Amino acid sequence: MLNLPRPRNLARLLCQLTLLGGVLGIVLALVLAWNGYQQAMQRGRNELQANAGRLVASIDHELQMRRNTLHNMKVLAEQYLAERSPLAWSAHPYLQPESRYAGYSLRLPPGFNFEQLGNVTGLGPLPADDSQTMREIQMALALTPLFRSLIERDPDTPWVYYTSAQRFLYLYPRVESSDFFVSQQTFSMPFYLQAHPAYNPSGELIWTPVYQDQAGKGWMVTMSVPVQDRGRFRGAISVDIATSRLVWLLERSPIPHTALHLLQADGQRLASSGGPPPALIPQNWPQYTLQARGQRLQAVFPLQANHWFLVLDSDAAALQQAALRQALPLALLAFFLTASLLLVLGLLRSQSRVEALSTHDWLTGVWNRRAFDEQLLAALSLLKREGSSLALILFDVDDFKHYNDTQGHPAGDKALQDIAQAVQQVAQRADDRVYRLGGEEFAVLASLPDAERLQAFMEHIGSAVREQRIEHPGSQLGLLTISLGGVLLQHGSHTTAADAYRQADKALYQAKDSGKNCACCWRGE
């Protein structure tokens, strides 16, 4: 059988492409420009979010370091209270009354300077040497190396201190009593009150709102952790963070055309860089997502170290202008260099796919019934004019309905695919064609010289299917098999397509009547 190429009307297609190429090229350029603009916008948005994520990670890292340091102080403080303070000297002889404050303070012992020791200020009479208050004072003084190390590592930290339920406060770095003295108001401040079990029964680390420092170092927030001794609340260790430090954290990683803000969950501002904060409540705002509000793009990112939020407030117009600048070269390049070529290739590819879908079976990938009808007619026409022979083979799957009913339709589809693939491995010459006519019925067109070769070819196909070893408990062999019927048409034959099909079909039924799983050739009425 000669090759039977599918006719394609490429001339008309190319003519249409020529007529419409200019218009389609412009349309494609506009589409590419729009896509480029959208992609540039998305890249800009992604970059904003990525920069914010890095900034959040940086702030979280710094705050987490402070959390860890504060936790270590708490562990040591509770250890010193439970066991014995490692302080080698007693602070009791250096406590002095402060009558004007109705309390007492700690004067510097000999050999100490302001950098080596903070100040203790307390309310009430001097504590006894063996009192609980003195145990806590000794503990607080023993924490001084940790307090000093934190201040040296971060000079922007205003204060580190221990506030005791025994009504005293140990403050580092040291200031004189005349500059700061603990008062009753101190014990109503958030850094102490929120750490108290009455407000913090779980004993977690707490963060205060922004407040004005009593010792005159401006606006700050405080992180505090409660200290307990044998399950009883004794006081709180606190570390102050100046809001100027938070501003510095924002300004060290600037984002172009974007204002940055640290807000508490209720919207109270902690720090800002680049402009005033937007009017929003972070805890009620979608997180990690840029939201358009007029000419602004805003997003909220929660911190992991506490209940703070980083808020981005970006200029949407600047982002749009940058996206336009990035998209314009792409649009021009696409219009002048690739628009027409991409259109032609796309349309030809689409046309090829449509033609393949119209002539091939969707399940098995072999030729379909439409292609069979057309190619059989074309082959018979050639057979009348040229010296060759044509073999038509019909086959179907034995007991396939029972297989489908027992194994399920997905298994049936897979079996048909495997059978089609096996037959294609046999019928792989240039003139061989394999078709699925419908259901479990298939056909093969092949160029074979005589009936003996046809019989051998069909048996080879049947053997290839059996070698797939598709299990079928309802068959005699326990495997799926096929029955084949074939007819050989010689040069000069005037057999019609219908007659050829009928003869091959009778040969197929003869194979069925012979017990299935075999092949029969048509040898006349």
Side-chain angles (χ1 to χ4, degrees):
M1 184 178 66
L2 299 177
N3 279 325
L4 302 174
R6 293 282 297 149
R8 294 188 177 98
N9 195 354
L10 294 179
R12 184 171 63 182
L13 177 63
L14 292 176
C15 180
Q16 293 172 346
L17 287 174
T18 302
L19 293 174
L20 299 176
V23 175
L24 293 176
I26 294 174
V27 171
L28 177 62
L30 293 175
V31 170
L32 290 176
W34 175 250
N35 287 339
Y37 170 76
Q38 292 291 337
Q39 291 173 5
M41 283 290 292
Q42 188 59 49
R43 283 195 300 271
R45 294 167 70 96
N46 292 343
E47 186 175 353
L48 273 177
Q49 291 180 295
N51 288 337
R54 287 190 287 269
L55 180 55
V56 166
S58 173
I59 297 174
D60 262 330
H61 175 70
E62 174 139 345
L63 297 181
Q64 190 61 49
M65 289 177 58
R66 293 170 182 264
R67 286 178 62 103
N68 294 340
T69 300
L70 191 56
H71 175 74
N72 293 337
M73 292 179 183
K74 168 188 170 69
V75 171
L76 282 179
E78 292 179 347
Q79 178 182 338
Y80 294 163
L81 289 176
E83 299 172 1
R84 180 179 177 83
S85 168
L87 201 65
W89 54 277
S90 172
H92 189 265
Y94 305 102
L95 293 178
Q96 58 188 5
E98 296 280 0
S99 57
R100 58 178 171 170
Y101 299 113
Y104 57 90
S105 66
L106 176 71
R107 70 176 185 272
L108 275 176
F112 286 89
N113 57 39
F114 272 65
E115 294 182 356
Q116 294 175 313
L117 202 64
N119 192 12
V120 175
T121 58
L123 300 177
L126 289 175
D129 192 15
D130 58 350
S131 65
Q132 175 63 33
T133 301
M134 278 308 304
R135 288 181 63 237
E136 291 187 39
I137 291 175
Q138 292 292 117
M139 174 273 293
L141 293 173
L143 293 176
T144 302
L146 286 178
F147 289 8
R148 183 169 60 248
S149 175
L150 177 59
I151 296 292
E152 290 173 351
R153 186 171 66 247
D154 183 8
D156 289 335
T157 299
W159 310 109
V160 187
Y161 46 97
Y162 173 74
T163 310
S164 172
Q166 302 296 324
R167 292 299 186 265
F168 77 84
L169 186 146
Y170 174 59
L171 180 67
Y172 187 89
R174 182 182 180 89
V175 294
E176 291 297 345
S177 302
S178 57
D179 295 323
F180 172 79
F181 205 95
V182 68
S183 67
Q184 290 294 345
Q185 182 185 359
T186 302
F187 298 95
S188 63
M189 293 294 289
F191 61 78
Y192 176 80
L193 200 60
Q194 292 183 12
H196 195 278
Y199 300 93
N200 184 24
S202 60
E204 299 293 328
L205 183 147
I206 62 98
W207 295 81
T208 71
V210 177
Y211 66 95
Q212 184 82 24
D213 180 37
Q214 285 184 317
K217 289 201 174 183
W219 293 95
M220 61 184 60
V221 294
T222 301
M223 50 192 301
S224 296
V225 64
V227 174
Q228 296 184 342
D229 179 20
R230 298 176 178 87
R232 183 175 178 180
F233 174 76
R234 293 301 183 184
I237 303 176
S238 304
V239 176
D240 289 339
I241 303 176
T243 55
S244 59
R245 177 68 176 184
L246 300 178
V247 172
W248 177 83
L249 291 176
L250 296 177
E251 291 179 342
R252 73 175 178 177
S253 301
I255 301 176
H257 310 293
T258 302
L260 300 170
H261 312 278
L262 276 177
L263 303 184
Q264 293 181 330
D266 59 1
Q268 183 178 7
R269 178 172 65 171
L270 295 162
S272 293
S273 172
L280 58 84
I281 306 299
Q283 62 186 0
N284 299 332
W285 192 264
Q287 297 178 2
Y288 307 105
T289 304
L290 284 170
Q291 302 284 324
R293 296 181 72 184
Q295 289 300 310
R296 310 297 295 179
L297 285 174
Q298 296 170 346
V300 170
F301 298 84
L303 273 66
Q304 300 299 316
N306 52 24
H307 298 296
W308 295 354
F309 294 84
L310 175 69
V311 177
L312 267 72
D313 187 14
S314 185
D315 184 0
L319 186 63
Q320 292 166 354
Q321 292 171 6
L324 286 172
R325 288 194 297 269
Q326 294 181 47
L328 185 59
L330 177 62
L332 293 176
L333 182 64
F335 179 76
F336 288 111
L337 300 179
T338 65
S340 297
L341 178 60
L342 290 174
L343 280 171
V344 171
L345 291 177
L347 290 173
L348 288 176
R349 210 176 296 121
S350 298
Q351 182 71 12
S352 176
R353 285 197 295 267
V354 169
E355 290 178 355
L357 288 173
S358 68
T359 56
H360 285 75
D361 177 58
W362 66 272
L363 177 64
T364 61
V366 300
W367 298 89
N368 61 15
R369 182 60 182 258
R370 174 187 172 186
F372 171 75
D373 292 337
E374 293 177 355
Q375 294 182 18
L376 178 58
L377 287 173
L380 290 174
S381 177
L382 285 175
L383 191 63
K384 295 176 183 178
R385 302 190 307 270
E386 300 180 8
S388 62
S389 58
L390 172 67
L392 168 61
I393 302 168
L394 298 180
F395 69 91
D396 68 7
V397 185
D398 298 328
D399 304 313
F400 188 72
K401 182 179 184 305
H402 182 265
Y403 182 87
N404 246 353
D405 292 342
T406 57
Q407 304 300 314
H409 289 281
D413 289 346
K414 179 64 169 56
L416 292 177
Q417 291 171 343
D418 293 342
I419 290 171
Q421 184 177 4
V423 175
Q424 284 182 300
Q425 292 297 320
V426 177
Q428 56 183 342
R429 295 175 302 177
D431 289 343
D432 296 340
R433 300 282 191 274
V434 181
Y435 310 83
R436 184 185 177 205
L437 304 183
E440 69 272 24
E441 187 177 7
F442 292 78
V444 178
L445 289 179
S447 180
L448 298 170
D450 51 50
E452 287 73 22
R453 292 287 296 276
L454 172 58
Q455 183 69 32
F457 187 72
M458 290 192 294
E459 291 175 356
H460 189 185
I461 290 175
S463 176
V465 171
R466 289 191 297 273
E467 288 175 359
Q468 293 295 305
R469 304 199 66 78
I470 303 171
E471 295 183 1
H472 181 12
S475 73
Q476 294 180 354
L477 287 179
L479 303 173
L480 271 184
T481 59
I482 61 174
S483 297
L484 305 95
V487 60
L488 187 66
L489 305 172
Q490 298 292 346
H491 168 59
S493 171
H494 294 282
T495 304
T496 65
D499 289 338
Y501 187 94
R502 178 180 54 82
Q503 293 167 6
D505 192 54
K506 285 188 175 183
L508 172 59
Y509 274 94
Q510 184 180 351
K512 291 287 189 181
D513 292 338
S514 299
K516 304 178 183 178
N517 187 29
C518 61
C520 292
C521 289
W522 169 257
R523 301 188 185 277
E525 297 289 346

